[in-house]
Amino acid sequence: MIRCETDGDLWIVTIDRPDKAGALTPAMLTELAEIAEGARAAKALILTGTGPVFSAGADLDAARAGLATDPVWERLSSAIAALPGLTIAALNGTVAGGAFGMVLACDVRVVVPKANFFYPVMKLGFLPQPSDPVRLAALIGPARAKMILMAGQKVDADTAMAWGLIDQIVPPADLMDNATGLCTDILDASAGHIAAIKGMVQLG
């Protein structure tokens, strides 16, 4: 249900569970974390999904068994954030719940027009993973982060673009071409140069 394809220095990681809205099991999350931890040599990593939903978050049965608060979510997002190459979330559809973490940890977010974003931790009685509110507030500001995390606001793609939560909206047929196109200059550069520029942006 997780596919990882490598084309030289470009890694494409796909959540392939469209029949379950991309819902994540413990095994899937562990596999994603292991891939991210092993991708330090990649110059670029693209994270995407299949079907109309990128990920609905935790698989319901697994969530009831404790997955919703498992540290594996933080392990995954931390591994993505630590990568020295460019990380792109190419979102084929809606992002919900804990799946927000890996998306927020990416450097760039490209989405299809019908994507929605919501993180219903207040309604469900869970705390978000520790780094998620910080990254969310850094992108859209504290008030809007509270609208999503505390008021249960569901945000559509146009609103997400206006808020700064995402970076591009593209037609579904162009999603992956657009994401890979963003990697063109990076794949021609040295790993050290890529890491240096990314570090300067993050420090700024």
Side-chain angles (χ1 to χ4, degrees):
M1 289 180 277
I2 302 296
R3 292 189 280 110
C4 180
E5 303 164 84
T6 59
D7 182 6
D9 296 312
L10 172 63
W11 290 33
I12 299 176
V13 181
T14 304
I15 298 170
D16 190 9
R17 200 187 184 198
D19 56 317
K20 296 291 185 180
L24 298 162
T25 65
M28 292 169 70
L29 278 165
T30 299
E31 186 174 358
L32 284 167
E34 290 173 348
I35 289 169
E37 290 164 351
R40 293 194 64 81
K43 292 180 179 179
L45 181 145
I46 298 173
L47 185 63
T48 192
T50 57
V53 177
F54 169 72
S55 178
D59 178 86
L60 287 178
D61 290 338
R64 295 187 191 102
L67 182 61
T69 56
D70 194 292
V72 69
W73 298 97
E74 188 74 9
R75 176 187 170 193
L76 170 57
S77 62
S78 296
I80 293 171
L83 290 174
L86 183 70
T87 54
I88 299 172
L91 302 175
N92 53 292
T94 291
V95 179
F100 243 96
M102 69 182 98
V103 171
L104 292 170
C106 287
D107 299 312
V108 177
R109 283 152 291 279
V110 181
V111 314
V112 299
K114 291 187 177 180
N116 288 291
F117 304 83
F118 58 103
Y119 202 154
V121 282
M122 184 64 71
K123 180 178 181 179
L124 296 176
F126 300 123
L127 289 175
Q129 292 303 313
S131 64
D132 291 359
V134 177
R135 293 191 179 113
L136 184 59
L139 288 171
I140 66 175
R144 287 169 174 167
K146 289 170 187 172
M147 288 175 69
I148 291 174
L149 294 172
M150 300 180 72
Q153 183 76 45
K154 179 182 280 190
V155 178
D156 63 22
D158 288 334
T159 302
M161 185 74 175
W163 284 8
L165 179 59
I166 62 173
D167 304 295
Q168 290 182 337
I169 301 173
V170 299
D174 298 336
L175 180 65
M176 290 308 296
D177 284 345
N178 185 276
T180 55
L182 293 173
C183 303
T184 301
D185 288 356
I186 290 159
L187 296 175
D188 289 335
S190 70
H193 191 54
I194 297 164
I197 291 179
K198 182 168 176 173
M200 292 171 73
V201 173
Q202 290 176 329
L203 289 174

